[in-house]
Amino acid sequence: MLEFIIKLHPEISIKSKSVRKRQTLLLERNLKTILGQTDEQVQVENLFDHLTVRSAKPELRQTLIERLSCIPGIVSFSEMQSSQFTDLHDIFQQVQAVYQSQLPGKTFSVRVRRQGTHSFSSLDAERYIGGGLNQQVASAKVQLKQPQLTIRLEIKQDKLLMMTEHFNGMGGFPLPSQSDVLSLISGGYDSAVASYLMIRKGLRTHYLFFNLGGPAHEAGVREMAFLIWQKYSLSHRVKFVSVDFAPVVNEILQKIDNGLMGVVLKRMMVRAASRVAQSLGIKAIVTGESIGQVASQTITNLAVIDQAADSLMLRPLIYQDKQEIIDLARQIGVEQLARSMPEYCGVISKSPTVNAVLSEVEHSEIFFNMDLLQQAISQAKVLDIRTVEYQAEQQITAVAIEEVLPVDAIVLDIRAPEETELSPLQLHNHQVVEMPFFRLSSQFASLDQTKQYYCYCDRGVMSRLQAVVLQEQGFKNVAVYRPTS
């Protein structure tokens, strides 16, 4: 039996009893929803100050650990063994049976948390168990500061909980304890990390994409949104909204003064975002803007941009340096995809203003045809994020998805280099060509076009989305390889 004890984020623990109860109930429900997709028989128990998870399938250990580390509201969790005990010496003997083989040559400490009425204190238990283990293993040494091994025990009434391995969670609040937000996502580092931070804060995060780069741009951004949702907010359905902003950009290029183009583009985006948010009943918009990162993100320009918004603007990265953002992107598993995403700036000013004057910007917008903005909003595509795979399949009606490859097929492994290195695709009867998805659009044309190619990736999402892009570029000799196992 696999057993885990789940610790709440500290901010939950200091809330009032009613708020804390609501938060733990949300977390309990989310655990059942997410872990239940891995193990239908998983058991989740809510004990107010912590939760426990039990599974009768030890082969799912690593999958459950990965899932638990990505659920908002969990500050840490530990794999544990639970048992009954009679007295302090009985506790020592049980701990000795589990840890004695791990102690030779190591420094260690014993940490005990105790609840209930006992004849000993937590300090008494730590000294008794630690001293006993030190006597039994001569090469081990008790060290209270920075030991190599920390033995964590919890004693609750007549139950002993031994923490055999400790893991960090993502912290924050359970979804959706803090309402909904609409995140402007471009597929790059900033918007991806900003979306993650909102999820971590307990906000159900929907995605709004302004398409400036055509099908290839949308395919990549859909994959990014899908990845963030699947990894960090799988417990709740969210929307992915795509707005074709090419006509708006063209109008800006024709009607707006060169130095004001960037600010006006951002104002058009927040106008559109506000209206989309209102139509979805969402009160706040999230962006990945950071002070001084580009010309449009000076304090003066951000103030002018905000004047166009009818919704609350949230900027979780406002004080972060670029390297800090990239480091966090790497930590949450989106760095590779964000790094491969092309930059679609929409408009590029030779001398962009860093001190926009609101009255001048508003005057320049008099010449902008606002009907184009409204038309773009009215034609927005609103998708359930869970249907990203389905939508991709529907789009590639002329492209086959094969489980068994033809004899002369060539497989394109489009996974990132890190993935192919860890788990190379090996097919005995077919040639495999490694071509990362972020190089596919530029390099596919250089391949022998008399051959038939089959895109492959682990989850099957990116291979389908990239097949869409290649088909729309006019290539008919591409399909998707989805093996049966």
Side-chain angles (χ1 to χ4, degrees), residues 138-338:
S139 63
K141 179 183 178 182
V142 173
Q143 182 172 302
L144 301 182
K145 292 185 178 181
Q146 298 182 331
Q148 293 172 294
L149 175 65
T150 300
I151 299 173
R152 302 180 189 277
L153 310 173
E154 293 203 11
I155 300 170
K156 297 179 180 291
Q157 302 297 348
D158 61 347
K159 181 179 287 188
L160 169 65
L161 305 177
M162 281 186 281
M163 314 305 164
T164 57
E165 191 167 357
H166 185 74
F167 305 92
N168 293 324
M170 65 181 288
F173 296 107
L175 291 170
S177 58
Q178 306 296 323
S179 190
D180 290 19
V181 293
L182 184 64
S183 181
L184 276 57
I185 188 166
S186 66
Y189 299 105
D190 302 341
S191 60
V193 172
S195 299
Y196 163 81
L197 291 175
M198 292 294 94
I199 293 170
R200 185 181 182 275
K201 206 64 177 175
L203 294 150
R204 179 160 52 184
T205 301
H206 305 267
Y207 303 95
L208 174 59
F209 165 59
F210 291 109
N211 193 344
L212 306 177
H217 191 195
E218 180 163 342
V221 176
R222 278 196 196 184
E223 172 70 0
M224 177 66 82
F226 185 84
L227 173 61
I228 297 169
W229 168 76
Q230 188 178 57
K231 190 170 184 178
Y232 297 107
S233 58
L234 187 60
S235 57
H236 289 79
R237 65 178 67 178
V238 302
K239 292 180 172 62
F240 179 90
V241 184
S242 177
V243 178
D244 181 5
F245 234 50
V248 175
V249 171
N250 289 336
E251 182 75 356
I252 290 174
L253 291 171
Q254 295 178 36
K255 303 288 183 64
I256 304 300
D257 177 78
N258 185 279
L260 297 178
M261 284 181 178
V263 172
V264 171
L265 176 60
K266 290 294 182 67
R267 280 170 59 87
M268 295 301 169
M269 286 181 172
V270 300
R271 279 193 182 98
S274 294
R275 295 176 194 177
V276 172
Q278 289 169 6
S279 70
L280 299 176
I282 296 173
K283 306 298 183 185
I285 297 167
V286 179
T287 78
E289 291 164 317
S290 175
I291 293 174
Q293 193 169 113
V294 295
S296 65
Q297 295 176 21
T298 63
I299 288 293
T300 300
N301 286 354
L302 290 175
V304 171
I305 291 167
D306 279 8
Q307 293 296 314
D310 295 324
S311 302
L312 173 65
M313 298 290 294
L314 300 176
R315 295 184 173 94
L317 305 182
I318 196 66
Y319 70 94
Q320 297 278 7
D321 295 331
K322 190 66 176 184
Q323 190 58 52
E324 292 175 323
I325 297 169
I326 293 173
D327 290 344
L328 186 50
R330 184 179 302 113
Q331 178 184 324
I332 65 177
V334 301
E335 188 262 350
Q336 179 66 54
L337 185 55

Side-chain angles (χ1 to χ4, degrees), residues 16-28:
S16 65
K17 186 175 181 179
S18 61
V19 173
R20 187 171 176 179
K21 180 179 179 181
R22 176 175 176 269
Q23 298 273 5
T24 54
L25 286 173
L26 285 174
L27 182 54
E28 176 188 1

Side-chain angles (χ1 to χ4, degrees), residues 38-49:
T38 300
D39 177 7
E40 294 181 355
Q41 304 301 317
V42 70
Q43 301 172 24
V44 179
E45 186 177 5
N46 187 345
L47 299 172
F48 186 68
D49 65 334

Side-chain angles (χ1 to χ4, degrees), residues 89-110:
H89 188 67
D90 184 24
I91 294 175
F92 162 70
Q93 290 180 318
Q94 292 188 48
V95 173
Q96 180 185 6
V98 172
Y99 284 99
Q100 185 164 344
S101 62
Q102 302 178 40
L103 288 173
K106 291 183 179 179
T107 58
F108 74 98
S109 68
V110 178

Side-chain angles (χ1 to χ4, degrees), residues 222 386-396 464:
R222 278 196 196 184
R386 298 172 301 172
T387 67
V388 164
E389 292 174 279
Y390 171 78
Q391 293 286 338
E393 287 181 353
Q394 294 302 300
Q395 286 179 275
I396 53 176
R464 288 192 279 272

